[in-house]
Amino acid sequence: LPSPNQSTAAAMKLVAWLFAACAGSAVVASPVERVVNLLKDLKEKLEVDEKTEQKVYDKYACWCEKSTARKAAAITEAQEALRTYGQTILS
């Protein structure tokens, strides 16, 4: 028969091992928790990307508006110049 000290030591080892196993499982996430964490990280990244892309789009839209206005003005000026040159040629 094991002595009381040996039984107590074995019980302590078992308790220590169970505690370590429980503590270790708390550190290692389950597959579902890992997927949830990945989805949260992806959501955060998408939100940052959305803000960045919105800034780029706003700059592009502004450039388009300015360029369109500039080109429309240039076309109007060119049409007036053509009318003037046409009148000059006919006279």
Side-chain angles (χ1 to χ4, degrees):
L1 284 173
S3 70
N5 287 341
Q6 289 176 337
S7 295
T8 304
M12 295 289 270
K13 286 181 185 178
L14 179 62
V15 169
W17 182 82
L18 289 173
F19 181 72
C22 289
S25 67
V27 173
V28 177
S30 72
V32 174
E33 290 172 329
R34 288 175 39 201
V35 169
V36 169
N37 289 336
L38 287 172
L39 289 173
K40 286 180 182 177
D41 293 343
L42 181 61
K43 180 184 174 194
E44 291 172 5
K45 182 179 179 195
L46 288 174
E47 289 171 351
V48 169
D49 287 349
E50 178 186 13
K51 290 177 184 175
T52 303
E53 288 180 9
Q54 186 64 45
K55 288 179 184 177
V56 170
Y57 175 79
D58 290 343
K59 286 181 182 179
Y60 177 72
C62 181
W63 176 83
C64 286
E65 290 174 7
K66 288 179 181 179
S67 294
T68 302
R70 195 170 45 241
K71 302 261 185 215
I75 289 171
T76 303
E77 289 175 15
Q79 287 173 339
E80 290 174 6
L82 284 173
R83 284 190 195 105
T84 303
Y85 295 145
Q87 292 297 325
T88 302
I89 292 172
L90 293 176
S91 30

